[in-house]
């Protein structure tokens, strides 16, 4: 039971990271490198949230 | 530094999205795919692992348990495949038993895909094939290639250090998802601890005499091509090893189960039940590190020029030549050694004998191929086809 709760919390943390990184990506005006890196960083979090990998 | 325009953001987002879809789709398909086994004439009942621990019901860890009961009462044996889903020789041997075996006396319990979650997992970073197929008279039969450990999608997060229950030995964090480190398990533990606990319940509740866990190991790993057994199983293991060498002409030596390495089936099953455990290792060149590409062909024929070169320098723990270590030999060994363990036990315990017929042995599998013994799910009765 505790393991399941911890697992759900980790999914919520992942969703939070996705929201924060997306916000940074949208607000990024100065650096193309940073914008691209935000997108790349998103990939594993999205794969986990959609339960693909 | 160039400013970030909206056009750049849209283009980059589209490219990353395309990358996600192209890379993620095969992984999604793999996880959604299923493997089929056709119940043979000997299958009398199909249980689920969750029948022994209801918490596993409707989870990715639940898996079928095939029961093959004889007309005469006798002893019983459990055969487990795919404890490590990147060693699918066990899965194939167990599936062959389900599709062909007829039990005259006693009972066989067969779990072809013990760590089902691991079979739904893929191995990152090493270029493993996602599937493999074996030739049959009616076409190709496809199987999922899994990973050693359960999928993090089913059990996550991993601890910093895995503390084994109940021995409290500290093990690698990854091994909390390895069903050959979580024996004897616990009913309220992590899912893989629950999987092994459910199997222990099967062994204890049904008073199972023998447990045979089918694995594979690298040719460069010392514990390969062998039967691993604790003290209580040693006599049967030794007799089985000597018999297959004398009668069938292949080597499968005996290794002693270490007392202080916890969580393994060959240690904990023996310590926490009356069952005699055995773990069989077949050599799998595909698993070795210094090979060429990890292709489906390498998995099937076990032929690799780098390993051949290492063999000439005596760096391998098995004999190795141009013929490699084909899948037929590996599966055939598992079948013959399993049958021999059952036979040796039955000779010494006539009241608890298990008589199994119609399972091909090593030479037959090598000669006719594995696919020869698989039934066609497309032409079998629907209720006989079990997917997992």
């Amino acid at each position: 039971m505790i393991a399941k709760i911890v697992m759900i919390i980790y999914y919520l943390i992942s969703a939070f990271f996705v929201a924060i990184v997306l916000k940074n990506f949208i607000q990024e005006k100065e650096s193309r490198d940073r914008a691209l890196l935000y997108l790349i960083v998103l990939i594993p979090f999205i794969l986990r949230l959609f339960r693909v990998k | 530094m160039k400013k970030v325009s909206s056009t750049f953001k849209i283009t980059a987002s589209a490219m990353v999205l395309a990358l996600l879809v192209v890379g993620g789709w095969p992984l999604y398909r793999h996880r959604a795919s299923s493997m089929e086994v056709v119940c043979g004439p000997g299958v009398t009942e199909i249980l689920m692992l969750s029948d022994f621990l209801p918490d596993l019901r409707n989870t990715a860890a639940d898996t079928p348990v095939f029961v093959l009961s004889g007309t005469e009462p006798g002893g019983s044996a459990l055969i487990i495949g795919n404890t490590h889903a990147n060693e699918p020789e066990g899965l194939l041997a167990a599936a062959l038993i389900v599709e062909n075996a007829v039990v005259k006396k006693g009972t066989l319990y067969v779990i072809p895909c013990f760590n089902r979650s691991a079979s739904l997992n893929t191995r990152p970073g090493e270029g493993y094939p996602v599937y493999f197929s074996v030739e049959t008279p009616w076409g190709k039969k496809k199987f999922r290639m899994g990973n050693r450990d359960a999928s993090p999608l089913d059990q996550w997060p991993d601890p910093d250090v895995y503390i084994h229950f109940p021995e409290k030995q500290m093990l690698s964090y990854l091994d909390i998802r390895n069903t050959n480190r979580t024996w004897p398990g616990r009913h309220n533990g992590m899912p893989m601890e629950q999987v092994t606990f459910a199997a222990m319940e099967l062994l204890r509740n049904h008073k199972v005499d023998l447990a045979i866990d089918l694995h594979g190991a690298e040719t460069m790993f010392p514990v390969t091509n062998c039967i691993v057994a604790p003290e209580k199983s040693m006599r049967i293991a030794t007799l089985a090893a000597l018999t297959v060498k004398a009668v069938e002409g292949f080597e499968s030596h005996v290794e002693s189960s270490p007392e202080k390495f916890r969580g393994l089936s060959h240690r904990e099953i023996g310590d926490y039940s009356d069952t005699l455990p055995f773990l069989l290792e077949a050599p799998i060149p595909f698993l070795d590190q210094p090979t060429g590409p990890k292709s489906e062909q390498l998995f099937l024929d076990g032929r690799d020029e780098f390993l051949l070169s290492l063999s000439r320098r005596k760096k391998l723990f098995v004999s190795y030549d141009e013929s490699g270590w084909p899948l037929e030999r590996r599966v055939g060994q598992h079948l013959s050694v399993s049958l021999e363990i059952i036979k040796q036990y039955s000779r010494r315990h006539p009241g608890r004998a298990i008589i199994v017929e119609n399972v091909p042995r090593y030479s037959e599998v090598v000669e006719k191929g594995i696919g020869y013994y698989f039934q066609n799910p497309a032409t079998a009765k629907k209720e006989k086809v079990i997917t997992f």
Side-chain angles (χ1 to χ4, degrees), chain B residues 150-302:
Chain B
S151 171
L153 297 177
D154 304 315
Q155 184 178 306
W156 190 57
D158 297 327
D160 290 337
V161 175
Y162 160 40
I163 299 170
H164 174 264
F165 177 85
E167 300 289 340
K168 296 189 171 66
Q169 185 171 58
M170 288 196 285
L171 298 166
S172 158
Y173 74 99
L174 261 180
D175 282 336
I176 189 77
R177 287 188 277 119
N178 175 352
T179 44
N180 200 28
R181 295 295 182 279
T182 57
W183 296 89
R186 53 181 156 177
H187 70 94
N188 59 351
M190 298 293 268
M192 295 310 112
E193 292 181 295
Q194 292 181 316
V195 166
T196 48
F197 177 83
M200 287 300 296
E201 287 291 277
L202 188 165
L203 296 170
R204 289 186 286 238
N205 296 350
H206 291 258
K207 299 191 181 344
V208 177
D209 300 273
L210 307 168
I212 303 171
D213 187 9
L214 306 173
H215 284 252
E218 298 87 340
T219 61
M220 295 183 77
F221 186 60
V223 186
T224 191
N225 203 29
C226 63
I227 309 169
V228 188
E231 311 72 42
K232 67 198 272 191
S233 310
M234 195 53 80
R235 186 177 168 83
I236 303 283
T238 307
L239 287 165
L242 290 171
T243 309
V244 293
K245 186 167 186 182
V247 177
E248 303 192 53
F250 68 82
E251 181 89 34
S252 185
H253 68 278
V254 177
E255 290 278 347
S256 181
S257 166
E259 275 181 57
K260 292 184 178 171
F261 189 2
R262 308 309 304 195
L264 297 116
S265 63
H266 52 75
R267 170 51 47 197
E268 308 297 353
I269 290 175
D271 286 1
Y272 286 91
S273 73
D274 294 329
T275 307
L276 299 181
F278 303 85
L279 185 147
L280 313 190
E281 296 277 15
I284 311 181
F286 177 85
L287 295 179
D288 280 292
Q289 288 298 320
T291 67
K294 301 288 187 193
S295 63
E296 183 182 1
Q297 195 56 42
L298 173 59
F299 172 73
L300 293 174
D301 63 23

Side-chain angles (χ1 to χ4, degrees), chain A residues 1-4 6-11 14 24-36 39-40 42-44 46-53, chain B residues 1-5 8-10 12-13 16 19-20 23-25 27-28 31 55 59 121-124 147 152-158 188-191:
Chain A
M1 188 61 188
I2 289 173
K4 275 183 189 159
V6 173
M7 188 162 167
I8 289 165
I9 292 170
Y10 265 71
Y11 274 96
S14 297
N24 285 353
F25 172 73
I26 291 163
Q27 290 178 344
E28 181 60 50
K29 308 283 183 209
E30 299 300 320
S31 166
R32 286 186 171 190
D33 289 353
R34 266 207 301 273
L36 203 55
L39 287 174
I40 292 168
L42 273 177
I43 291 175
I46 291 174
L47 287 173
R48 179 56 58 91
L49 281 178
F50 281 97
R51 294 182 57 77
V52 172
K53 186 65 184 173
Chain B
M1 192 181 286
K2 282 188 181 176
K3 295 282 181 185
V4 186
S5 64
F8 175 82
K9 281 186 177 176
I10 292 167
S13 300
V16 169
L19 194 68
L20 261 172
W25 182 246
L27 300 175
Y28 172 79
R31 190 163 164 84
D55 283 359
T59 70
N121 195 9
T122 52
R123 193 172 179 89
N147 198 357
L153 297 177
D154 304 315
Q155 184 178 306
W156 190 57
D158 297 327
N188 59 351
M190 298 293 268

Side-chain angles (χ1 to χ4, degrees), chain B residues 322-385:
Chain B
E322 287 79 4
S323 61
W325 264 92
L327 186 61
E328 290 75 18
R329 279 178 70 185
R330 282 130 56 188
V331 174
Q333 281 198 194
H334 273 341
L335 290 170
S336 274
V337 175
S338 300
L339 290 171
E340 201 53 47
I341 287 169
I342 291 171
K343 194 172 156 188
Q344 293 296 338
Y345 178 81
S346 300
R347 274 188 185 163
R348 269 141 202 86
H349 304 85
R352 298 286 298 167
I354 309 151
I355 300 176
V356 184
E357 293 179 349
N358 209 36
V359 176
R361 295 191 79 113
Y362 175 75
S363 60
E364 294 168 293
V365 177
V366 170
E367 186 196 333
K368 293 178 180 166
I370 299 161
Y372 177 84
Y373 296 97
F374 280 126
Q375 299 180 46
N376 186 354
T379 56
K381 286 182 183 171
K382 271 191 178 173
E383 63 271 19
K384 294 268 184 190
V385 181

